[in-house]
């Protein structure tokens, strides 16, 4: 499939889910929704495992040695987690969403318009502010496949049914937000792939896989990890790989 297919699939599921939600209402029983979420959580862990296995990619091992990849991923997660927690990434994203929601809803003139705006803003935040949005879009742009965005598309489709049952067609309008934000991140991933080495892409993919484990644990309601705070690790992973390679540390190739 072409790069960007995952985003287009996500847009379609949001539109279809919104249409179903408007037509049939919020009729899925809680038990059914929980089972679907659990299945998606297990699938997330499977995708995460395949991504994390990139830590053994030949290009990465040849560039930094056989023992360094694990240490690079570990250092990226630790440094990224420290940076993200100090900068309060996850909290700031949530605060931004709440502030945007209050401001736009307050500016709406009529009750129907407020309902439309609230549905648009709420769904946009849920569908566009999260680890899968960043991880999936970058992975798609880097040419690693659209599986993560396909998983997100299914999640968003079911969520759109519930949101549209309450807020109406404003939820369908957020498909534009998904297209713009995820499309931009996919483009960024494609550009990054032009100047990142294969070893750096492998380190980024492996680190992203472990971050994705956190998403799976949240979906399975095992532990609510602050996954948003770990996102800076995606910057540290390729940077550390480039640094280790440039320094020519023992076990690396020149």
């Amino acid at each position: 499939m072409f790069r960007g297919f995952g985003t287009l699939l996500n847009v379609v599921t949001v539109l279809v889910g919104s249409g179903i939600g408007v037509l049939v209402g919020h009729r899925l029983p809680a038990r059914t929704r929980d089972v679907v979420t659990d299945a998606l959580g297990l699938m997330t862990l499977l995708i995460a495992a395949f991504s994390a296995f990139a830590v053994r990619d030949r290009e990465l091992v040849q560039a930094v040695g056989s023992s360094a990849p694990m240490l690079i991923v570990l250092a990226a997660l630790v440094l990224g987690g420290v940076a993200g927690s100090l900068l309060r990434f996850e909290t700031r994203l949530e605060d931004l969403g709440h502030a945007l929601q209050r401001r736009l809803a307050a500016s709406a003139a009529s009750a129907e318009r407020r309902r439309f705006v609230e549905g648009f803003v709420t769904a946009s935040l849920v569908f566009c502010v999260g680890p899968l949005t960043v991880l999936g879009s970058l992975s798609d742009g880097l040419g690693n496949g659209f599986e993560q965005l396909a998983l997100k598309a299914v999640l968003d489709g079911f969520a759109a049914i519930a949101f549209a049952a309450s807020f109406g067609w404003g939820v369908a309008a957020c498909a534009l937000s998904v297209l713009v934000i995820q499309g931009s991140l996919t483009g960024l991933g494609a550009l990054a792939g032009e100047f990142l080495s294969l070893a750096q892409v492998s380190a980024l993919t492996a680190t992203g896989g472990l971050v994705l484990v956190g998403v799976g644990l949240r979906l399975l309601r095992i532990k609510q990890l602050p996954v948003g705070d770990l996102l800076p690790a995606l910057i540290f992973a390729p940077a550390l790989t480039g640094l280790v390679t440039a320094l020519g540390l023992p076990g690396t190739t020149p």
Side-chain angles (χ1 to χ4, degrees):
M1 293 293 180
F2 58 90
R3 296 181 184 181
F5 176 79
T7 294
L8 293 180
L9 177 64
N10 205 165
V11 168
V12 170
T13 59
V14 168
L15 292 174
V16 172
S18 300
I20 294 174
V22 171
L23 292 176
V24 305
H26 189 43
R27 297 181 180 177
L28 284 177
R31 179 179 175 83
T32 301
R33 295 197 304 273
D34 289 342
V35 169
V36 170
T37 301
D38 289 342
L40 293 172
L42 292 173
M43 190 63 194
T44 300
L45 293 179
L46 178 61
I47 295 173
F50 275 101
S51 297
F53 196 69
V55 75
R56 302 307 305 166
D57 280 358
R58 181 166 55 91
E59 295 81 7
L60 179 58
V61 172
Q62 287 180 345
V64 301
S66 59
S67 59
M70 292 285 188
L71 297 176
I72 288 174
V73 173
L74 173 61
L77 287 171
V78 171
L79 293 174
V82 170
S85 61
L86 290 177
L87 295 172
R88 298 171 60 240
F89 260 42
E90 184 147 315
T91 302
R92 289 181 187 277
L93 286 174
E94 293 175 355
D95 291 344
L96 175 63
H98 293 318
L100 182 62
Q101 186 177 25
R102 288 193 300 268
R103 183 168 183 176
L104 290 181
S107 64
S110 64
E112 187 61 29
R113 185 180 175 187
R114 281 197 301 272
R115 182 170 175 261
F116 183 93
V117 170
E118 187 174 359
F120 170 76
V121 174
T122 300
S124 294
L125 293 172
V126 171
F127 299 159
C128 299
V129 178
L132 269 180
T133 300
V134 178
L135 291 172
S137 299
L138 288 177
S139 179
D140 193 8
L142 288 168
N144 292 335
F146 65 93
E147 289 82 2
Q148 294 179 19
L149 283 186
L151 172 69
K152 179 179 179 296
V154 177
L155 282 168
D156 291 353
F158 278 97
I161 295 175
F163 284 138
S166 301
F167 299 114
W169 289 111
V171 178
C174 86
L176 180 61
S177 301
V178 173
L179 179 63
V180 172
I181 294 175
Q182 290 186 187
S184 299
L185 288 171
T186 300
L188 180 62
L191 290 175
E194 296 295 326
F195 63 84
L196 292 180
S197 67
L198 292 176
Q200 289 174 309
V201 171
S202 294
L204 187 154
T205 302
T207 304
L210 291 182
V211 175
L212 199 59
V213 171
V215 178
L217 294 178
R218 291 176 68 157
L219 287 173
L220 292 170
R221 298 177 295 281
I222 295 175
K223 185 173 179 61
Q224 293 298 310
L225 295 173
V227 182
D229 288 341
L230 292 173
L231 289 178
L234 302 180
I235 299 175
F236 281 103
L240 289 171
T241 302
L243 178 62
V244 172
T245 304
L247 292 177
L249 297 178
T252 66
T253 59

